Amino acid sequence: FRRVLFRSRYRNNVLMKADHQPYDYDRAFSQWMSLYNAIVDEGGLVYILPSEREFQDLPYVANIGCYLPHIEEPTILVSNFYSPPRMGEENIGVRFFDSMRYKTRMCPSYWEGEADLKWLHDNVYAAPYGIRTEKAAHKWFESNFDMEVVSIKMNDERLYHLDCVLFPVDSKRTAVATSIMDKE
């Protein structure tokens, strides 16, 4: 069970160097259980998504999709993964969200979930393009979900998702790593 949880066989980002050391499975499992127990002890609820295949990045569930808080009907946009080892994870997400009675829609362009779409306020979102998300996804979001997308060019392979450089603190403040972004 422990060894199935953690795999890094496919190096799908530049930070996973060729000399990347394998996981310390016992330590990783212990850390996971500590986190799980801390959340549950505080009254939180943790859903464990079942998987029929070994998806090494499935623990990064923010990439499966994104909830749209500005829409009245509970809606989840489902990812269309660019990274080959992640392709198929979206099916697990769709089954889970459908079981929770969310409306699900899959973007026809490459786009990798909440890690690449950040709600700022009202119907305004930030989204990257250039590495794992296509700019065409932004147009699709805007035309299908009455939203405004602030497009941000991403070109540093070490910062391959928007959540590496942008964090909405609340509806009035957003932390942004401006030093790596174009002025536009």
Side-chain angles (χ1 to χ4, degrees):
F1 174 70
R2 292 179 183 184
R3 295 195 184 277
V4 171
L5 285 177
F6 308 101
R7 296 263 195 250
S8 61
R9 187 175 10 187
Y10 303 104
R11 291 172 176 86
N12 64 344
N13 69 61
V14 73
L15 300 176
M16 297 175 78
K17 300 177 181 157
D19 64 346
H20 177 66
Q21 297 298 312
Y23 287 112
D24 177 337
Y25 296 105
D26 292 331
R27 181 175 180 212
F29 186 75
S30 176
Q31 289 172 342
W32 157 244
M33 289 307 301
S34 293
L35 175 63
Y36 176 88
N37 288 323
I39 293 169
V40 171
D41 288 348
E42 290 298 318
L45 179 62
V46 177
Y47 289 100
I48 307 295
L49 296 179
S51 179
E52 64 277 352
R53 289 184 19 213
E54 289 185 22
F55 291 111
Q56 73 182 25
D57 288 342
L58 190 57
Y60 303 104
V61 295
N63 299 50
I64 289 178
C66 186
Y67 172 71
L68 299 178
H70 80 281
I71 294 180
E72 189 172 322
E73 182 179 16
T75 301
I76 302 284
L77 294 183
V78 179
S79 299
N80 184 352
F81 287 105
Y82 174 80
S83 176
R86 301 214 65 177
M87 293 174 178
E89 289 180 31
E90 70 281 356
N91 298 322
I92 295 166
V94 166
R95 285 193 299 274
F96 173 75
F97 295 127
D98 285 348
S99 76
M100 302 294 284
R101 305 240 192 294
Y102 284 95
K103 178 180 178 181
T104 57
R105 295 276 306 274
M106 185 174 195
C107 181
S109 300
Y110 287 129
W111 167 74
E112 296 200 358
E114 199 268 339
D116 274 352
L117 184 66
K118 296 296 181 184
W119 178 65
L120 302 177
H121 61 85
D122 303 319
N123 70 334
V124 180
Y125 293 76
Y129 66 94
I131 296 182
R132 296 212 178 159
T133 291
E134 297 176 301
K135 199 167 188 179
H138 304 182
K139 299 292 184 202
W140 186 81
F141 298 152
E142 290 177 329
S143 64
N144 286 278
F145 300 100
D146 186 33
M147 59 197 283
E148 178 184 336
V149 176
V150 177
S151 296
I152 300 169
K153 175 105 170 99
M154 301 282 285
N155 53 20
D156 185 332
E157 290 183 2
R158 296 168 298 153
L159 306 169
Y160 46 88
H161 283 303
L162 185 63
D163 63 2
C164 296
V165 299
L166 185 142
F167 177 76
V169 177
D170 57 34
S171 64
K172 293 183 169 76
R173 299 175 298 165
T174 300
V176 181
T178 57
S179 65
I180 58 95
M181 291 187 184
D182 292 336
K183 293 277 186 208
E184 292 179 38

